[in-house]
Amino acid sequence: MEVINKHLTEVSSILSLYGENIGNAGLLHGKMGIAVFFAHYASFTHEEQYNQFADELIEDAVNLLLWTCGIDNDNEIFAFNYENGLSGIGVGVAYLVKQGLMEANLDDVLDDMDMILAKRLTGKTTPVSLMVDIGKYFLARLSNPKTCKKYFLLQTMEQILLLINNYLQINPVKHPQILGFLNELSEQYTHPVLSSLLNRQFIPLKIMKIEERNVVSYSNMIKELLNQPDKNIYCYNMEIDGLLNGYAGLGLSLLSMLDLRHNSWLNLL
């Protein structure tokens, strides 16, 4: 549709102009999320310049966070987590390769990240939310059938399960975030501790309802844009950032309307 293509051009222009200068490197709120948009947009338009934008943003994001993770500061958790840190960036890179939007040997590209995130699980207390975030990263790594590091990845995943188990023995509460991760993990991994955790963490689906305000928000914006063809996206007070409540997520939502093959990005939220 002509109107959607017009708005995609607007999104691309905003992100091309300002994306490189944002301070957040992460998947949901930063450069990695913008890179996901440009990789999808390059596939849709067949214009190589958008692949170049994506590659440059990913390189900037990885270098920024690898440097940050070497510093002992107050933002240490922020640098490792899924929303803003290395865990999400690694999942984003693995996603692009899996979708055929990026060519890379993940064992090579993510080797430093493997070591840093595995090391973060030892030597100091790890909040349970960060255990889950790092678990998501290693689940994405295990999903790569071409990996030559399967033994190491399985060992690390077992360590994550044991840490979660230890946490729940001390804090025996129902935790939807943990259960969501364990359910996803159980689709491709078996372990006695995993089975035990799933039984103990059982929560009825009606209680586990996923909050969809980000998707609904984009849907409402798109309805307005389609109903008012002269309206442009600059009227929305949105952040210049990643997939969650940013122009990258809006752009991907627009792309998904033109071609449903591009809606796989929703799995990253």
Side-chain angles (χ1 to χ4, degrees):
M1 294 174 64
E2 185 178 345
V3 174
I4 293 179
N5 280 315
K6 182 193 84 167
H7 295 313
L8 279 169
T9 300
E10 292 170 349
V11 170
S12 173
S13 297
I14 290 174
L15 295 178
S16 299
L17 190 60
Y18 299 110
E20 185 179 357
N21 296 321
I22 66 172
N24 190 309
L27 177 63
L28 298 191
H29 303 291
K31 292 184 178 183
M32 186 66 219
I34 297 173
V36 171
F37 166 76
F38 277 128
H40 275 275
Y41 198 45
S43 174
F44 179 76
T45 62
H46 305 290
E47 293 188 27
E48 183 58 28
Q49 62 173 322
Y50 298 119
N51 274 326
Q52 293 175 3
F53 288 155
D55 290 344
E56 290 169 5
L57 286 164
I58 292 170
E59 184 177 1
D60 286 350
V62 171
N63 288 340
L64 175 62
L65 280 177
L66 287 177
W67 176 78
T68 303
C69 288
I71 301 173
D72 185 14
N73 59 31
D74 293 336
N75 294 321
E76 190 253 3
I77 300 300
F78 183 94
F80 285 97
N81 71 8
Y82 185 83
E83 285 199 24
N84 305 292
L86 280 181
S87 296
I89 289 177
V91 171
V93 171
Y95 164 82
L96 292 179
V97 172
K98 183 177 181 179
Q99 296 297 318
L101 299 171
M102 175 181 176
E103 292 184 7
N105 182 323
L106 290 177
D107 284 351
D108 292 338
V109 172
L110 299 179
D111 186 56
D112 287 342
M113 219 174 286
D114 288 346
M115 297 300 107
I116 290 172
L117 288 172
K119 184 178 179 181
R120 178 58 187 82
L121 295 168
T122 63
K124 63 174 75 174
T125 301
T126 303
V128 68
S129 61
L130 188 56
M131 295 179 203
V132 171
D133 286 353
I134 295 176
K136 290 178 182 177
Y137 169 83
F138 282 104
L139 176 58
R141 292 288 286 114
L142 278 169
S143 300
N144 174 24
K146 297 181 179 180
T147 184
C148 296
K149 300 175 66 174
K150 191 167 185 178
Y151 180 72
F152 162 76
L153 298 173
L154 287 171
Q155 274 191 317
T156 307
M157 188 60 77
E158 181 177 34
Q159 183 183 8
I160 292 168
L161 284 175
L162 292 174
L163 286 170
I164 291 174
N165 186 56
N166 291 342
Y167 170 83
L168 291 175
Q169 286 180 345
I170 299 171
N171 305 277
V173 295
K174 304 296 185 184
H175 199 304
Q177 184 187 20
I178 292 176
L179 182 58
F181 165 65
L182 295 176
N183 278 328
E184 191 175 354
L185 179 59
S186 68
E187 294 176 5
Q188 58 178 290
Y189 178 77
T190 58
H191 193 282
V193 174
L194 176 58
S195 300
S196 173
L197 286 170
L198 281 170
N199 289 333
R200 285 155 48 195
Q201 278 289 295
F202 173 76
I203 302 173
L205 287 178
K206 64 180 180 180
I207 298 176
M208 264 197 74
K209 186 178 185 303
I210 298 173
E211 188 174 358
E212 296 180 340
R213 66 182 184 279
N214 44 9
V215 179
V216 171
S217 170
Y218 292 137
S219 298
N220 290 339
M221 287 181 192
I222 291 171
K223 286 178 183 177
E224 286 184 6
L225 292 169
L226 293 178
N227 290 331
Q228 303 174 50
D230 294 332
K231 194 168 188 174
N232 63 53
I233 64 170
Y234 307 113
C235 67
Y236 294 110
N237 185 22
M238 299 179 68
E239 297 294 329
I240 308 294
D241 62 8
L243 304 182
L244 197 60
N245 299 321
Y247 281 111
L250 176 59
L252 285 162
S253 297
L254 289 165
L255 264 181
S256 300
M257 289 195 67
L258 293 177
D259 187 342
L260 285 175
R261 290 175 297 179
H262 291 285
N263 71 359
S264 55
W265 72 277
L266 291 168
N267 295 322
L268 296 171
L269 295 180

